[in-house]
Amino acid sequence: MVLVSSNHGGKKNAEDSVAIDFRGQPADKSRTGGWLAAGLILGTELSERICLMGIAMNLVTYLVGDLNLTSAKSATIVTNFLGTLNLLGLLGGFVADAKLGRYLTVAISGSIAALGVFLLTIATSIPSMRPPRCSQVRRQHHECIAATGNQLALLYAALYTIALGGGGIKSNVSGFGSDQFDTTDPKEERKMIFFFNRFYFFISTGSLFAVIVLVYVQDNVGRGWGYGISAGTMVIAVLVLLCGTPIYRYKKALGSPLTVIWGVLILAWKKRNLPLPSHPSFLNGFHEAEVPHTHRLRFLDKAAIVDENDEKEGNKNNPSWLVSSVTQVEEVKMVLELIPIWSTGILFWTVYSQMTTFTVEQATFMNRKVGSIEIPSGSFSAFLFITILLFTSINEKFTVPLARKLTHNVQGLTSLQRIGIGLVFSIVAMVVSAIVEQQRRHEAVIRNHGSKLSAFWLVPQFFLVGTGEAFTYVGQLEFFIREAPERMKSMSTGLFLSTLSMGFFLSSLLVSIVDKITKKTWLQSNLNNGKLDYFYWLLAVLGVLNFILFLILASRHQYKAQQNLNPDNNEGGEKERELVSASEVMIGVDGKEEA
C-alpha cells in the first residue's frame, strides 16, 4: 500500500498534486472519494469531539471536587490542556505535510488519543490516585488535602497524551476530508463547500452530546464509566477510518514545509543586497513555476536569483540551499499572507472563552429554577451548541444558496465574508453581555445581593456567540485550507487551530492585566461586588478595533483563484491585480465562479 512520499528537494512535481488511491495509482473518481469517503472522515471528527469535549467541559469539577485542588489551579490545568491541544495541531500538520500524509497522521493520532483516554480512565478510577474525600465543612475552612505530585503524574500523562493525539486529528481530518473532492470539477467543488458546513455540524453535534450525556454519566454514574465511553468511541472511530482505506483519495506528502519556508527566508536575507532582475522571467524556475508569480513581498524574490557565486559558497549536493525556485518563493508568500488574517481571528476566540468562564459564573448568581428544578449553571452552555447546530444548518440550506443566487459565486459567502460576519456577532455579544450583567448587578444590589433576574437572560449572549462561531469557524477553516499551498495544507490548518489557543491565552492575559490595573475591583470572586460589565465593554471596544483592522487586511487579500485567473508572468510586465474590496468582504463577490 503506497500512501506517502517525501520530496526533500523542495520542488513539487505536477503529479504530486494528483489524487491517488491506496495502491498509489491515480484515483478513479467513480470508485473513490465523494460523500461516502467524506462521511467516514466526518465520523472520525464526531468521535474526536465527543471524546475531547466530554473531558474538557467537566474536568474542572473533578479537579476541584475529587482532587481538592483550588479553583485557580484547576482552571490553569484545563486552560493549559486545551491550549496545548490546539498548539499541537501545528506539529500534527507539519508531520502530515512533511512525511506521513494526512491519512496516516489521523489514524496514528486517533490511536494515541484513545491510549490517552484509557490512561485518564485508569487515573480517575484507581482510589490511590485521589486524596481522601473532603467534607463541605472542611472545604469551607480550607482543610482539605490536595492531590500530590505522584497522584497528578498519571493525570498529566493522560491529558497530554490526549492533547498530542487530538492535535494530530484536528489539523488533518478536515484537510483529508476536502481531499475527497476534486476542486477542478464544478460539481465536486460545490460539494466540498458544503463539506465544511457539515464538518462543523458534526463537531457541534458531538459537543452537545458530550455536554448532555457524558457529563451526566461522569457526575452520576462514575468518572471511569464516562471516560471509558470516550475511549471506546475513539477506538471505534479509528476502526471506521481504517475500514474506508480502499475508497479514500490521498495526496502525497510533498516534503517538509518548514524546510521550504526556512530556506526561502535565509536565501532572501543572504541575497538582500542583490538587485532584482528587470523581469521575473530571469528568476530560477520561472517558466516551470506551478504557482503564478506575484509582485507582492518582492524582497522574497531575491531567494530565486541565480548568482554566479552560489556554487562557491553553497552545498552543490543540495541545490535548494543555493537558490530557491519561483514555486517555492510563491508558496512562502502564500503562507506569510495568511498571518495577518490569522491575527485578527484571535480575539473572536477570546470572546468565545468567556462563555465557559465568566458567563457560567454569572449563572451561579442568577435564578436558575424552572418550576421546582434548578438547572446547573454549566448546563447553560448547551444553548451555545444548539445555536451552532441551528445556524450551521440555516447557512447550508438557506444563507449560502441565497448568497450564491445574489452574487453568482459558487461559494455563496466567501471565507473572509464568513469571518467578518462572525466578528460582528462577537462584538454585539459583548455589548449584550455588558448590558445584562449591569442589570443583573443592579437588581442584586437592590435586593441585597439576592438577584431574582432569570439566568435565561444569558441565552442571548450564548446565541450571539454561537451564531458568530457558526460563521467564523467554518470561514477560518475554509480560508486556511483553500489559501494554503498544497504541500502546507495540514500545517496551515494547525495554524488556524492555534488561533483558538491564542484566544484562550489572550483571555488569561487580559484578565491578569485588568486585575492589576483595576486593583482587582472589576473581576472579583463575588460578581455582585465587581464590575464584570466593564470587562465586557472592554472586549467590545477591542472587537471594534479588531474588526476595522480585519476589513483593511481583508480588502488587500487576493484569493489564490484570483491569482490563477490573473497571472502577471507575461512579457508586458506587471498587471494591475484585482483586490477584494471592503464592501465585497461584507456583501459579496460579483461574477466569477471558482471552479
Side-chain angles (χ1 to χ4, degrees):
M1 183 169 65
V2 182
L3 295 177
V4 296
S5 173
S6 182
N7 184 350
H8 298 287
K11 184 175 181 178
K12 182 175 67 174
N13 298 321
E15 62 185 19
D16 288 335
S17 60
V18 176
I20 59 175
D21 61 21
F22 75 109
R23 295 186 179 89
Q25 302 299 318
D28 182 347
K29 290 176 60 174
S30 65
R31 298 182 179 180
T32 62
W35 274 117
L36 177 57
L40 296 176
I41 297 168
L42 287 174
T44 302
E45 176 57 26
L46 174 67
S47 300
E48 179 266 346
R49 185 49 57 120
I50 290 174
C51 176
L52 292 179
M53 293 304 293
I55 294 169
M57 294 301 292
N58 207 32
L59 180 61
V60 68
T61 61
Y62 175 75
L63 298 175
V64 174
D66 292 72
L67 299 187
N68 301 331
L69 301 179
T70 64
S71 297
K73 185 172 183 179
S74 300
T76 300
I77 291 174
V78 175
T79 301
N80 289 344
F81 164 63
L82 293 175
T84 303
L85 170 69
N86 287 294
L87 283 178
L88 284 174
L90 283 171
L91 175 62
F94 167 75
V95 170
D97 286 335
K99 189 68 178 176
L100 294 182
R102 287 184 272 275
Y103 167 77
L104 288 179
T105 304
V106 171
I108 294 173
S109 298
S111 302
I112 293 173
L115 173 62
V117 186
F118 274 121
L119 291 176
L120 184 62
T121 303
I122 295 172
T124 56
S125 300
I126 300 177
S128 61
M129 291 291 101
R130 300 189 297 271
R133 293 189 64 84
C134 187
S135 66
Q136 188 63 32
V137 174
R138 292 176 61 194
R139 193 180 301 281
Q140 291 176 353
H141 290 83
H142 307 287
E143 297 176 357
C144 299
I145 300 175
T148 62
N150 291 334
Q151 291 172 324
L152 292 174
L154 182 58
L155 177 72
Y156 286 142
L159 289 178
Y160 287 99
T161 301
I162 295 170
L164 177 62
I169 296 173
K170 281 178 173 291
S171 58
N172 290 285
V173 69
S174 56
F176 187 43
S178 69
D179 287 343
Q180 308 311 308
F181 303 97
D182 181 4
T183 56
T184 63
D185 183 335
K187 292 183 179 179
E188 293 205 9
E189 166 80 357
R190 189 185 299 266
K191 291 178 181 178
M192 190 186 77
I193 293 170
F194 282 120
F195 167 79
F196 291 110
N197 265 342
R198 290 172 184 174
F199 176 81
Y200 201 58
F201 182 88
F202 271 64
I203 285 179
S204 302
T205 301
S207 300
L208 188 61
F209 177 84
V211 169
I212 295 175
V213 178
L214 288 185
V215 169
Y216 175 83
V217 172
Q218 292 166 13
D219 287 347
N220 296 278
V221 180
R223 292 279 171 171
W225 281 101
Y227 294 144
I229 293 173
S230 296
T233 302
M234 202 66 248
V235 170
I236 293 173
V238 173
L239 293 176
V240 170
L241 179 73
L242 295 177
C243 289
T245 300
I247 66 171
Y248 296 137
R249 296 176 191 170
Y250 306 89
K251 296 291 182 69
K252 294 181 180 180
L254 302 176
S256 169
L258 291 182
T259 301
V260 175
I261 296 172
W262 187 243
V264 169
L265 294 177
I266 289 178
L267 287 173
W269 173 257
K270 286 177 61 177
K271 301 181 179 185
R272 64 189 182 279
N273 295 323
L274 296 178
L276 285 169
S278 58
H279 191 274
S281 60
F282 293 105
L283 296 174
N284 180 48
F286 175 83
H287 295 290
E288 298 82 20
E290 297 168 15
V291 181
H293 177 265
T294 63
H295 288 271
R296 295 164 296 156
L297 302 176
R298 291 205 67 188
F299 67 93
L300 292 177
D301 286 347
K302 294 189 175 184
I305 296 176
V306 180
D307 183 17
E308 60 183 8
N309 296 321
D310 283 341
E311 293 190 4
K312 297 178 182 179
E313 299 178 4
N315 181 0
K316 296 181 181 180
N317 295 323
N318 192 354
S320 63
W321 287 104
L322 299 176
V323 60
S324 299
S325 67
V326 169
T327 298
Q328 292 171 332
V329 171
E330 291 303 321
E331 287 178 336
V332 175
K333 287 181 182 180
M334 289 181 194
V335 173
L336 294 182
E337 287 167 355
L338 297 178
I339 302 300
I341 300 298
W342 172 87
S343 66
T344 59
I346 292 175
L347 194 63
F348 176 87
W349 299 107
T350 300
V351 171
Y352 175 86
S353 68
Q354 309 313 312
M355 299 301 103
T356 61
T357 53
F358 289 123
T359 302
V360 175
E361 284 194 55
Q362 284 178 278
T364 63
F365 286 85
M366 302 174 78
N367 180 11
R368 293 176 279 115
K369 287 188 176 181
V370 178
S372 60
I373 301 174
E374 186 173 58
I375 301 175
S377 56
S379 295
F380 279 86
S381 59
F383 288 106
L384 179 69
F385 301 120
I386 291 172
T387 302
I388 294 169
L389 285 169
L390 175 64
F391 270 86
T392 302
S393 300
I394 291 176
N395 287 346
E396 181 174 340
K397 301 296 183 182
F398 177 75
T399 307
V400 172
L402 178 62
R404 183 180 293 121
K405 290 181 180 179
L406 295 175
T407 64
H408 305 290
N409 186 303
V410 70
Q411 285 182 269
L413 292 173
T414 66
S415 53
L416 289 179
Q417 288 167 1
R418 291 174 186 266
I419 295 171
I421 292 170
L423 292 179
V424 171
F425 272 105
S426 71
I427 296 169
V428 177
M430 288 298 94
V431 172
V432 171
S433 298
I435 294 173
V436 170
E437 171 58 17
Q438 185 178 20
Q439 183 64 27
R440 185 206 63 79
R441 195 176 72 248
H442 176 70
E443 289 210 11
V445 172
I446 292 177
R447 299 175 182 275
N448 193 23
H449 291 203
S451 174
K452 298 298 182 180
L453 191 66
S454 171
F456 284 93
W457 279 102
L458 298 174
V459 172
Q461 58 204 63
F462 280 116
F463 174 85
L464 289 166
V465 173
T467 304
E469 186 180 357
F471 284 98
T472 299
Y473 193 104
V474 174
Q476 286 184 326
L477 184 64
E478 182 180 352
F479 176 78
F480 281 92
I481 287 181
R482 292 171 69 98
E483 296 303 295
E486 190 66 32
R487 79 167 74 241
M488 303 175 189
K489 194 179 278 189
S490 293
M491 196 180 75
S492 70
T493 309
L495 185 65
F496 152 60
L497 291 171
S498 68
T499 62
L500 278 71
S501 59
M502 291 298 103
F504 280 103
F505 293 147
L506 178 60
S507 177
S508 299
L509 178 62
L510 284 176
V511 168
S512 299
I513 293 174
V514 168
D515 244 7
K516 186 174 182 179
I517 293 178
T518 65
K519 298 180 180 179
K520 300 183 182 295
T521 58
W522 282 18
L523 307 174
Q524 298 189 25
S525 296
N526 187 336
L527 296 184
N528 294 331
N529 298 326
K531 296 178 179 179
L532 177 60
D533 51 320
Y534 288 11
F535 183 67
Y536 285 147
W537 283 119
L538 172 63
L539 288 176
V541 172
L542 291 176
V544 171
L545 297 175
N546 182 68
F547 180 67
I548 294 173
L549 176 61
F550 168 79
L551 284 181
I552 295 172
L553 295 173
S555 69
R556 298 178 178 179
H557 182 79
Q558 185 175 9
Y559 289 106
K560 266 199 322 187
Q562 290 174 311
Q563 295 176 21
N564 294 333
L565 289 171
N566 188 24
D568 62 359
N569 54 356
N570 61 332
E571 295 297 328
E574 288 193 24
K575 286 186 178 181
E576 291 292 330
R577 287 194 168 273
E578 179 183 349
L579 299 179
V580 181
S581 67
S583 61
E584 288 173 330
V585 170
M586 297 309 302
I587 300 175
V589 178
D590 58 352
K592 301 171 184 176
E593 292 190 357
E594 291 180 30

